[in-house]
Amino acid sequence: MSGKLYLCATPIGNLEDITYRVIRTLKEVDIIGAEDTRNSIKLLNHFDIHTPMTSYHEYNKVDKARYLVGEIQKGKNVAIITDAGTPGISDPGEEICRQCVEAGIEVSSLPGPAACITALTMSGLPTRRFSFEAFLPRDKKERQMILEELKAETRTIVMYEAPHRLKDTLKELLKHLGNRKISLCREITKKYEENIYTTIEDAIKMYEVNDPRGEYVLVIEGRDREKDEIEKQNNWMNMELTEHMNLYLEQGMDKKSAMKQVAKDRGVSKRDVYNELLKEE
């Protein structure tokens, strides 16, 4: 009979942010796959956990996941922990979860800390809908492509950034997204936790005189829907009415449907469109 995979969330700073269930599970499983065993041994020692560990990280995730899946199929229970937070969120836990699902192995995720959610909830920005981007790609072409996609994103955007890249990232965000509200969160749950509520422009100015320190979670305001609609309407209004009508007629719309769509685009009534077209005739 197969064992089970447990994705165990661990503290992102404050050791008190671990659940009783995670501690019990880490004591009961047969193997713990840890992103960095040197870092995780401190956590295990603190909670008197003596379960054998094996390294499971970004550079061995495919082969080691295959090995651990094999162990689970032999009946062993395996727990995965990351350096901090919930496995599978921007870390190699995603790979072993995928392999287990494909192999028909039961997976259980034990909830707990996640830096992205913690920062989002105290950002002061809308939380109902959000887009999580983790770290932007290093590849310049892919990075630019994602930044362009984010330009039209109306949901709150959450991303991670390292201190040595923060200044350049803020400048790129300003270039692609414009000056938006931003929350910069660092040292989350630790003694010197800091959450800065500002704008992208002001954040750039601030870090011209103060060097960033610690890992950051950036929570960025989404594109304003109302402003977006006004801009779209303005763009349509700059187009000649007959040209706007022809755009839809050429797509196969009948005159009545085209007139209705034009009115919607321009934020006016269908009668206004009809009267203007009569004048142009």
Side-chain angles (χ1 to χ4, degrees):
M1 184 178 176
S2 288
K4 189 173 176 179
L5 176 71
Y6 296 89
L7 302 173
C8 296
T10 54
I12 53 179
N14 193 318
L15 287 177
E16 293 179 1
D17 294 331
I18 193 168
T19 68
Y20 291 122
R21 185 178 170 211
V22 166
I23 294 171
R24 176 180 58 78
T25 300
L26 292 178
K27 287 180 177 181
E28 292 177 353
V29 294
D30 300 292
I31 308 169
I32 297 172
E35 192 173 5
D36 186 337
T37 55
R38 296 165 301 177
N39 181 62
S40 295
I41 193 65
K42 299 170 190 173
L43 178 76
L44 299 195
N45 287 341
H46 183 82
F47 291 104
D48 196 29
I49 298 167
H50 304 287
T51 306
M53 273 195 299
T54 185
S55 63
Y56 173 72
H57 50 71
E58 185 64 31
Y59 303 103
N60 73 352
K61 64 183 181 182
V62 176
D63 291 337
K64 182 56 71 78
R66 200 173 292 128
Y67 162 75
L68 290 171
V69 166
E71 293 299 294
I72 295 171
Q73 287 171 328
K74 293 174 186 175
K76 291 184 179 180
N77 291 315
V78 173
I80 295 294
I81 57 175
T82 180
D83 281 348
T86 301
I89 303 294
S90 190
D91 79 9
E94 180 182 5
E95 174 62 26
I96 190 168
C97 181
R98 182 187 65 78
Q99 287 195 27
C100 281
V101 169
E102 288 179 357
I105 292 168
E106 187 180 355
V107 178
S108 183
S109 182
L110 281 58
C116 56
I117 298 298
T118 307
L120 173 66
T121 55
M122 59 181 175
S123 68
L125 293 169
T127 59
R128 189 177 71 83
R129 300 172 67 247
F130 65 94
S131 167
F132 177 59
E133 285 297 328
F135 288 95
L136 288 171
R138 299 283 187 89
D139 180 79
K140 284 186 178 179
K141 190 174 180 181
E142 189 182 356
R143 189 181 179 93
Q144 294 303 307
M145 181 182 71
I146 287 175
L147 284 166
E148 274 303 302
E149 286 176 359
L150 290 177
K151 191 175 181 178
E153 181 59 76
T154 57
R155 295 172 294 179
T156 300
I157 302 161
V158 185
M159 62 176 63
Y160 295 152
E161 193 49 280
H164 62 281
R165 290 196 296 268
L166 181 65
K167 292 181 182 180
D168 288 338
T169 297
L170 287 171
K171 288 173 184 174
E172 285 181 294
L173 289 172
L174 181 63
K175 178 184 173 184
H176 290 272
L177 309 186
N179 191 29
R180 300 189 189 179
K181 290 178 185 176
I182 187 171
S183 163
L184 299 101
C185 204
R186 57 182 287 275
E187 298 293 292
I188 299 178
T189 76
K190 298 178 185 176
K191 185 177 180 179
Y192 297 107
E193 176 180 277
E194 182 180 36
N195 200 8
I196 301 163
Y197 306 97
T198 184
T199 63
I200 297 174
E201 270 186 5
D202 287 343
I204 291 169
K205 290 174 187 174
M206 180 177 66
Y207 289 117
E208 283 174 357
V209 291
N210 299 301
D211 284 330
R213 291 181 181 180
E215 297 292 321
Y216 283 80
V217 182
L218 310 181
V219 185
I220 307 154
E221 178 183 33
R223 186 179 175 91
D224 188 313
R225 275 176 181 267
E226 195 174 324
K227 187 179 176 182
D228 204 26
E229 286 302 314
I230 291 169
E231 284 181 10
K232 284 179 183 176
Q233 282 182 10
N234 288 339
N235 288 336
W236 286 121
M237 293 299 281
N238 289 330
M239 182 185 285
E240 290 292 332
L241 193 57
T242 49
E243 185 184 351
H244 196 167
M245 276 289 291
N246 288 334
L247 187 71
Y248 292 118
L249 292 172
E250 287 168 5
Q251 291 175 18
M253 275 191 185
D254 59 73
K255 194 171 181 179
K256 188 178 178 181
S257 299
M259 204 178 295
K260 187 177 179 181
Q261 187 59 49
V262 167
K264 185 179 178 183
D265 290 344
R266 299 168 90 92
V268 297
S269 70
K270 197 166 69 171
R271 180 173 291 278
D272 288 339
V273 173
Y274 178 73
N275 289 337
E276 285 298 316
L277 287 171
L278 281 179
K279 287 179 189 177
E280 290 183 17
E281 287 177 2

